[in-house]
Amino acid sequence: MFNLILFGPPGAGKGTQAVKIAEKFGWKHISTGDILRAEVSQGTPLGLKVKSVMDAGHLVSDDLLIAIMESVFLKNNTIVPGFVLDGFPRTLNQAQELDKMLQRHGHKLGLVLALEVDEVELVSRLIKRSQDQGRKDDTEDVVKNRLVQYHRHTEPLIDYYIDKKLYKKVYGVGTIEDIFDQLCAEIKP
Ligand code: ADP
């Protein structure tokens, strides 16, 4: 089984590319943002719990995310040949728990592929997305907050994965197809 993390700041285009990669390789795309948004829109107890946290652009607690990840993993790990993780891990604790979870099942991470996009471009993409999709966490203040959270909690993972020799990066500005080709060139399952 091949486990790929698609890494990068909010607005880098992880969702778009993760769908394409999952389709090409026949892997399962897991977007923790999509999972959480579905819980919110269905009004489940979990959704009610996380809604205000997400709307403010803060991170949902590690415990909840790790539990979600474990349950999605267990539901799929015997039937899919790989996972594309999008939006997880977002903290060092999540990364360590992911390693342990994979290890418990006799698997490991294959690659961490990062999309690099400069900050000015990110902010303008996220604000445009708020106008197009009406996502509540894409207003200007919240966008800035999500970038702060990224720098504080998620960026340190870069060194964690560089140390493990799993980290590769691709410049995330250009056409979707060009970026996709560059990402695929790094994936050797
Ligand atoms: P984006 O990639 O645009 O930043 P996502 O759709 O991945 O946004 O996530 C939206 C929100 O869901 C985050 O701002 C956060 O509140 C919550 N979330 C998603 N994944 C995680 C995670 N791994 N840890 C904590 N919170 C998360």
Side-chain angles (χ1 to χ4, degrees), residues 10-11 14 32-33 36-37 54 58-60 65 87-88 90 94 129 135 137 146:
K14 298 187 297 292
T32 46
L36 292 169
R37 276 187 291 278
M54 292 176 71
H58 289 290
L59 293 182
V60 174
L65 263 296
F88 184 94
R90 255 181 164 91
Q94 290 178 16
R129 183 163 79 186
R135 250 178 70 168
D137 60 351
R146 282 160 65 209

Side-chain angles (χ1 to χ4, degrees), residues 101-115:
M101 183 184 82
L102 291 173
Q103 210 170 18
R104 276 201 300 276
H105 296 278
H107 299 298
K108 58 182 168 77
L109 262 181
L111 178 66
V112 177
L113 250 184
L115 280 166

